[in-house]
Amino acid sequence: MTQIENMLPYDNGYDQDEYMMQEEEWDRDLLLDPAWEKQQRKTFTAWCNSHLRKAGVQIENIEEDFRNGLKLMLLLEVISGERLSKPDRGKMRFHKIANVNKALDFITSKGVKLVSIGAEEIVDGNVKMTLGMIWTIILRFAIQDISVEETSAKEGLLLWCQRKTAPYRNVNVQNFHVSWKDGLAFCALIHRHRPDLIDYAKLNKDDALGNLNLAFDIAEKHLDIPKMLDAEDIVNTPKPDERAIMTYVSCFYHAFAGAEQVEMTNTFICYSGIMYFSFAQLLEWIRRTTPWLENRVSEKTMALMQRKLEDFRDYRRMHKPPKVQEKCQLEINFNTLQTKLRISNRPAFMPSEGKMVSDIASAWQGLEQAEKGYEEWLLTEIRKLQRVDHLAEKFRQKATSHETWASGKEEILTQKDYESASLMEIRALLRKHEAFESDLSAHQDRVEQIAAIAQELNELDYHDVAAVNQRCQSICDVWDQLGTLTQKRREALERTEKLLETVEQLFLEYAKRSAPFNSWLEGAMEDLQDMFIVHTIEEVQSLLAAHEQFKSTLPEADAERQAILGIQQEVQKIFHSYGIHGNLTNPYSTISPEEILSKWEKVKKLVPQRDGALQEELARQHGNERLRRQFAAQANLIGPWIQTRMEEIGRCSLEIGGTLEDQMTQLKQYEHVIISYKPNIDKLEGDHQLIQESLIFDNKHTNYTMEHIRVGWELLLTTVARTINDIETQILTRDAKGISQEQMNEFRSSFNHFDRKKNGAMDTDDFRACLISMGYDLGEVEFARIMMLVDPNATGVVTFQSFIDFMTRETADTDTSEQVVASFRILAADKSYILIDELRRELPRDQAEYCISRMPPYTGPGAVPGALDYTAFSTALYGESDL
């Protein structure tokens, strides 16, 4: 079986170029199908592990495990048997990129061109790039070196599969995808080399899943080929991934490659004997056939020449094809034998002298040359005999066709239908005439062809040449007559057209000028009747300027109007002078001269009306401007006056040198002045009312609005009243507490100094700084107690009155047990008792130990072990000492 298989060429009935083209189209489609990624991921992972296991390593996730480049470099060392440069052991990204680049450089050094695969994509875990890189490695180290009968790599592997599976039923390997879906091709490969492992006769083509799983299991168990594919993926995918299939099949090739050497010797013996016999037979046929093809004796009749042609066609159709097949088979057998000998490292086969392939090729080349010359000679002779009859028939057909076309053309060219036509009809007749001229020009070639055929028939001595000449002359005479009539009709049509075009141009000029002028008239009427809303004199003056500019364009517009109407008068003059009977309506415009005249008269009436309206508005805006200036003059005086009084009241409240009674007297005077100023506010309110009634919304002469004045006036009244009330309260406090004027001044000076914002209140930090400056030694607890006194509502600020009350109590030295209790309550976080740890944490050591030793246990509600009664301690302490 092996010898017969190797002798006969494999022909699957498919054109290889067509197959490759279909395969490429499948590849492009597969890029859109996510199934390819799943299949390639499993297959390539298994293939890598089949090599990495030799180094005691494996991978789980193909795009993740190769990202640092270490396992990728190890894989290349295992499959190549060479050592790569030392890898970088760092974990930074640039270390990983460096390792991957070393691997890619090694692949490139093996003659592999990497396209669009970079180290960054591999380090980033790009699945597509990683799978592409592994496929490149598989092609280089597992598939590229496969060589079968002068084919290598993918084509060699495909040819090897075809050879091995050719004898098996239901197996037709044409590619590396759909040809393997039913699993029979895998089973056939195994059975061909290990028939003891599979009973091929019992396999069912329809059980694709079973066939695939059987082949995969046997290959893994008995042939040491890892399971790289899932049977379900192959069956359920319309087109399995070609790369995955090729990778797996290449493992079968490498597993069975050693068995190929056994067949070499028998192949050589079989081929050499058959080839010697075939060489002799083919050479004899060539030497016998060549003289027959070199015979060039011409026959006299068409029948005999046709018989020679039929004999030659029989030779081409019946005798030569088997010899072509025989020659091709000899070359295939010879090349196959030489290839197998070269693969098995045996010396090439050398036929004896005269029986070599070059001898067959030389003899065959002579046969082909003789055949080509004989065919050309036959065709030339037959053409010579056919030429005369063909030319005669061609002349008759062309002459008849031309005569039919020329019939009736003279009557058409002599018509005078243009005399009563309109311009559009004249142009239609001209276009029709131009079409006829084009047709006439096209027939020029036909007339020349008829004359040329007649001339050639004269040269070939045609038997009826006189009739041919007579008919050719008649055709030429008619042709000349048609040319003359065509020129005359064109001249008549163009003369008529020129006159009507003048009128047409005038109509068009009228339309082009009347449309924009009419639009201008309508726009002018709209603008002159348009309502305007203005708020300033400048806006009115702008409208007046625009109106004056419009009036300056009226003379130019009147000139345009007269020109447009003149065009229409010119049209009427042409119609009357040349007696044209046509429609005076302009086809290009719907605007009549009467309409233009009517609109022009309306514009002239609207211009003075617009003048009056603008002048009236200008007078109104002048009145509004007077109201603005009147209001601004008052507001610009009242606003600063209010601000000055506010500043005076503020200075008075902060003064320290005089007594509180002096401050009260001065504040009362300010209050009287303010109340006396009220009529000025009322007058400004009246001016504001007039502005509102005139719908005036802005005033560029002042920054003050009536709302600003009102707010300022109310604030001034409130401030003076509040300040008088504060002074009265201070007087009452001073008298009730017995504070001297000097102490009151000192308190006021301290408060003013630390009132940084000058708003009559100190914030918490300012108050703390004030107390420290006055000699207080404050802890957090003590300061919190004081803040509870001066700011019971926890507003975060201390008013002057609260400050005076506090300082009064402090100077009077009126501390009580309640203040001590309040301090302990803060330390105890508002509990009725305090713990030892809290005392030691919050108080200095000696004070804490003093309190712990003297404070009784707490026995009240909610008592806990170790609780101390700070209330009893404070009461007792206040009674025993000056604390």
Side-chain angles (χ1 to χ4, degrees), residues 190-205:
I190 297 173
H191 183 267
R192 180 61 181 272
H193 297 88
R194 292 290 303 275
D196 57 310
L197 298 179
I198 291 181
D199 188 353
Y200 188 86
K202 293 183 179 181
L203 298 179
N204 182 5
K205 178 178 176 61

Side-chain angles (χ1 to χ4, degrees), residues 17 128 175 244 344 363 475 530 591 614 621 635 705 755 829:
D17 293 337
K128 182 177 179 182
N175 48 55
S344 60
I475 289 173
D530 186 25
I591 303 169
L614 290 173
Q621 288 300 327
T705 64
D755 180 13

